[in-house]
Short mmCIF file of all heavy atoms in Angstrom, two decimals:
data_model
loop_
_atom_site.label_atom_id
_atom_site.label_comp_id
_atom_site.label_asym_id
_atom_site.label_seq_id
_atom_site.Cartn_x
_atom_site.Cartn_y
_atom_site.Cartn_z
N TYR A 70 10.09 14.27 -4.14
CA TYR A 70 9.79 15.48 -3.35
C TYR A 70 9.17 15.09 -2.02
O TYR A 70 8.19 14.35 -1.96
CB TYR A 70 8.83 16.36 -4.14
CG TYR A 70 8.52 17.70 -3.51
CD1 TYR A 70 9.41 18.76 -3.62
CD2 TYR A 70 7.33 17.92 -2.83
CE1 TYR A 70 9.13 20.01 -3.07
CE2 TYR A 70 7.04 19.15 -2.27
CZ TYR A 70 7.94 20.19 -2.40
OH TYR A 70 7.65 21.42 -1.86
N SER A 72 8.27 16.93 2.02
CA SER A 72 8.09 18.23 2.64
C SER A 72 7.55 18.05 4.06
O SER A 72 6.84 17.08 4.34
CB SER A 72 7.12 19.06 1.80
OG SER A 72 7.00 20.35 2.32
N TYR A 74 5.31 20.20 7.03
CA TYR A 74 4.42 21.31 7.28
C TYR A 74 4.04 21.29 8.76
O TYR A 74 4.00 20.25 9.39
CB TYR A 74 3.14 21.19 6.46
CG TYR A 74 3.34 21.14 4.97
CD1 TYR A 74 3.40 19.92 4.29
CD2 TYR A 74 3.47 22.31 4.23
CE1 TYR A 74 3.59 19.88 2.92
CE2 TYR A 74 3.66 22.27 2.86
CZ TYR A 74 3.71 21.05 2.22
OH TYR A 74 3.90 21.00 0.86
N GLN A 84 4.81 25.58 5.31
CA GLN A 84 5.92 24.70 4.98
C GLN A 84 7.14 25.03 5.83
O GLN A 84 7.53 26.19 5.96
CB GLN A 84 6.26 24.84 3.50
CG GLN A 84 7.22 23.78 2.99
CD GLN A 84 7.42 23.88 1.50
OE1 GLN A 84 7.62 24.98 0.97
NE2 GLN A 84 7.37 22.77 0.81
N ILE A 85 7.76 23.99 6.37
CA ILE A 85 8.94 24.16 7.22
C ILE A 85 10.21 23.97 6.39
O ILE A 85 11.06 24.85 6.30
CB ILE A 85 8.91 23.15 8.39
CG1 ILE A 85 7.64 23.32 9.21
CG2 ILE A 85 10.14 23.34 9.28
CD1 ILE A 85 7.43 22.20 10.24
N TYR A 87 11.68 21.48 2.76
CA TYR A 87 11.34 20.54 1.72
C TYR A 87 12.63 19.97 1.11
O TYR A 87 13.72 20.53 1.29
CB TYR A 87 10.43 21.16 0.65
CG TYR A 87 11.04 22.30 -0.12
CD1 TYR A 87 11.66 22.08 -1.36
CD2 TYR A 87 10.96 23.61 0.36
CE1 TYR A 87 12.18 23.14 -2.08
CE2 TYR A 87 11.50 24.66 -0.36
CZ TYR A 87 12.11 24.43 -1.57
OH TYR A 87 12.64 25.47 -2.29
N MET A 89 14.06 18.18 -2.61
CA MET A 89 13.81 17.83 -4.01
C MET A 89 14.31 16.43 -4.33
O MET A 89 13.84 15.79 -5.27
CB MET A 89 14.51 18.82 -4.92
CG MET A 89 14.12 20.27 -4.66
SD MET A 89 12.53 20.65 -5.36
CE MET A 89 12.99 20.87 -7.07
N ASP A 95 15.83 22.40 1.31
CA ASP A 95 15.74 23.86 1.28
C ASP A 95 14.69 24.32 2.28
O ASP A 95 13.79 23.55 2.67
CB ASP A 95 15.39 24.37 -0.10
CG ASP A 95 15.95 25.76 -0.36
OD1 ASP A 95 16.36 26.43 0.62
OD2 ASP A 95 15.98 26.20 -1.52
N LYS A 96 14.84 25.58 2.70
CA LYS A 96 13.93 26.14 3.69
C LYS A 96 12.59 26.46 3.08
O LYS A 96 12.49 26.91 1.94
CB LYS A 96 14.53 27.42 4.29
CG LYS A 96 15.82 27.21 5.05
CD LYS A 96 16.38 28.53 5.55
CE LYS A 96 17.69 28.32 6.29
NZ LYS A 96 18.28 29.59 6.75
N GLY A 97 11.55 26.24 3.89
CA GLY A 97 10.22 26.69 3.53
C GLY A 97 9.96 28.04 4.13
O GLY A 97 10.86 28.89 4.23
N ASP A 98 8.73 28.25 4.58
CA ASP A 98 8.35 29.57 5.10
C ASP A 98 8.65 29.75 6.58
O ASP A 98 8.79 30.87 7.04
CB ASP A 98 6.85 29.78 4.86
CG ASP A 98 6.52 29.80 3.38
OD1 ASP A 98 7.28 30.44 2.62
OD2 ASP A 98 5.52 29.17 2.99
N VAL A 99 8.72 28.68 7.33
CA VAL A 99 8.93 28.78 8.78
C VAL A 99 10.00 27.81 9.25
O VAL A 99 9.74 26.90 10.04
CB VAL A 99 7.60 28.56 9.56
CG1 VAL A 99 6.67 29.74 9.39
CG2 VAL A 99 6.92 27.27 9.11
N ALA A 136 8.46 17.72 -7.64
CA ALA A 136 8.17 18.94 -6.90
C ALA A 136 7.18 19.82 -7.63
O ALA A 136 7.11 19.81 -8.87
CB ALA A 136 9.46 19.73 -6.68
N PRO A 137 6.39 20.60 -6.89
CA PRO A 137 5.63 21.67 -7.51
C PRO A 137 6.58 22.57 -8.28
O PRO A 137 7.76 22.67 -7.90
CB PRO A 137 5.03 22.42 -6.32
CG PRO A 137 5.07 21.44 -5.19
CD PRO A 137 6.23 20.57 -5.44
N PRO A 138 6.18 23.30 -9.30
CA PRO A 138 4.81 23.40 -9.79
C PRO A 138 4.34 22.26 -10.67
O PRO A 138 3.22 22.28 -11.16
CB PRO A 138 4.85 24.70 -10.60
CG PRO A 138 6.25 24.75 -11.12
CD PRO A 138 7.11 24.15 -10.04
N GLN A 143 -0.42 14.93 -3.98
CA GLN A 143 0.30 15.00 -2.71
C GLN A 143 -0.19 13.88 -1.79
O GLN A 143 -1.39 13.66 -1.65
CB GLN A 143 0.03 16.35 -2.05
CG GLN A 143 0.46 17.55 -2.89
CD GLN A 143 1.97 17.64 -3.03
OE1 GLN A 143 2.69 17.59 -2.04
NE2 GLN A 143 2.44 17.79 -4.26
N ALA B 317 -5.06 24.16 -2.22
CA ALA B 317 -3.63 24.47 -2.25
C ALA B 317 -3.19 24.71 -3.68
O ALA B 317 -3.68 24.04 -4.60
CB ALA B 317 -2.82 23.32 -1.64
N VAL B 318 -2.29 25.66 -3.85
CA VAL B 318 -1.77 25.95 -5.18
C VAL B 318 -0.26 25.99 -5.13
O VAL B 318 0.32 26.45 -4.14
CB VAL B 318 -2.32 27.29 -5.74
CG1 VAL B 318 -3.83 27.23 -5.84
CG2 VAL B 318 -1.88 28.47 -4.91
N PRO B 319 0.40 25.53 -6.19
CA PRO B 319 1.85 25.70 -6.26
C PRO B 319 2.17 27.10 -6.76
O PRO B 319 1.54 27.60 -7.69
CB PRO B 319 2.28 24.65 -7.29
CG PRO B 319 1.08 24.41 -8.13
CD PRO B 319 -0.13 24.79 -7.34
N LEU B 320 3.12 27.71 -6.12
CA LEU B 320 3.60 28.99 -6.61
C LEU B 320 4.39 28.76 -7.89
O LEU B 320 5.32 27.96 -7.89
CB LEU B 320 4.49 29.67 -5.57
CG LEU B 320 3.79 30.50 -4.49
CD1 LEU B 320 4.81 31.01 -3.50
CD2 LEU B 320 3.03 31.66 -5.11
N TYR B 321 4.01 29.47 -8.96
CA TYR B 321 4.65 29.23 -10.25
C TYR B 321 6.14 29.49 -10.17
O TYR B 321 6.59 30.44 -9.55
CB TYR B 321 4.00 30.12 -11.31
CG TYR B 321 4.18 29.58 -12.70
CD1 TYR B 321 3.43 28.49 -13.14
CD2 TYR B 321 5.10 30.13 -13.58
CE1 TYR B 321 3.59 27.97 -14.39
CE2 TYR B 321 5.26 29.62 -14.84
CZ TYR B 321 4.51 28.53 -15.25
OH TYR B 321 4.68 28.03 -16.50
N ASN B 322 6.90 28.60 -10.77
CA ASN B 322 8.37 28.71 -10.77
C ASN B 322 8.99 28.61 -9.38
O ASN B 322 10.09 29.10 -9.16
CB ASN B 322 8.82 30.01 -11.44
CG ASN B 322 8.72 29.91 -12.95
OD1 ASN B 322 8.72 28.82 -13.52
ND2 ASN B 322 8.62 31.05 -13.60
N THR B 323 8.27 28.01 -8.45
CA THR B 323 8.87 27.69 -7.15
C THR B 323 8.61 26.21 -6.87
O THR B 323 7.90 25.54 -7.61
CB THR B 323 8.28 28.52 -6.01
OG1 THR B 323 6.97 28.03 -5.68
CG2 THR B 323 8.20 29.98 -6.37
N ASP B 324 9.18 25.77 -5.77
CA ASP B 324 9.02 24.37 -5.38
C ASP B 324 8.02 24.24 -4.24
O ASP B 324 8.05 23.26 -3.50
CB ASP B 324 10.36 23.81 -4.93
CG ASP B 324 11.45 24.08 -5.95
OD1 ASP B 324 11.19 23.87 -7.13
OD2 ASP B 324 12.54 24.52 -5.54
N LYS B 325 7.17 25.22 -4.07
CA LYS B 325 6.33 25.27 -2.89
C LYS B 325 4.84 25.21 -3.22
O LYS B 325 4.39 25.68 -4.25
CB LYS B 325 6.57 26.58 -2.12
CG LYS B 325 7.99 26.79 -1.67
CD LYS B 325 8.10 28.11 -0.93
CE LYS B 325 9.54 28.35 -0.50
NZ LYS B 325 9.66 29.61 0.26
N LEU B 326 4.11 24.65 -2.26
CA LEU B 326 2.66 24.74 -2.25
C LEU B 326 2.25 25.75 -1.20
O LEU B 326 2.86 25.82 -0.14
CB LEU B 326 2.02 23.40 -1.89
CG LEU B 326 1.95 22.31 -2.94
CD1 LEU B 326 1.35 21.05 -2.33
CD2 LEU B 326 1.13 22.74 -4.14
N ILE B 327 1.23 26.54 -1.49
CA ILE B 327 0.65 27.40 -0.47
C ILE B 327 -0.81 27.00 -0.28
O ILE B 327 -1.49 26.60 -1.24
CB ILE B 327 0.79 28.89 -0.78
CG1 ILE B 327 0.33 29.21 -2.20
CG2 ILE B 327 2.22 29.33 -0.58
CD1 ILE B 327 0.33 30.69 -2.50
N PHE B 328 -1.25 27.08 0.95
CA PHE B 328 -2.53 26.50 1.33
C PHE B 328 -3.50 27.56 1.81
O PHE B 328 -3.11 28.55 2.45
CB PHE B 328 -2.32 25.51 2.48
CG PHE B 328 -1.46 24.34 2.12
CD1 PHE B 328 -0.08 24.44 2.15
CD2 PHE B 328 -2.02 23.13 1.76
CE1 PHE B 328 0.72 23.36 1.82
CE2 PHE B 328 -1.24 22.05 1.43
CZ PHE B 328 0.14 22.16 1.46
#
Side-chain angles (χ1 to χ4, degrees):
Chain A
Y70 185 80
S72 184
Y74 301 96
Q84 191 175 46
I85 303 170
Y87 63 95
M89 304 282 281
D95 209 345
K96 297 178 181 178
D98 296 317
V99 288
Q143 300 292 310
Chain B
V318 299
L320 275 176
Y321 203 75
N322 283 338
T323 75
D324 309 314
K325 301 180 182 182
L326 282 177
I327 50 174
F328 297 82

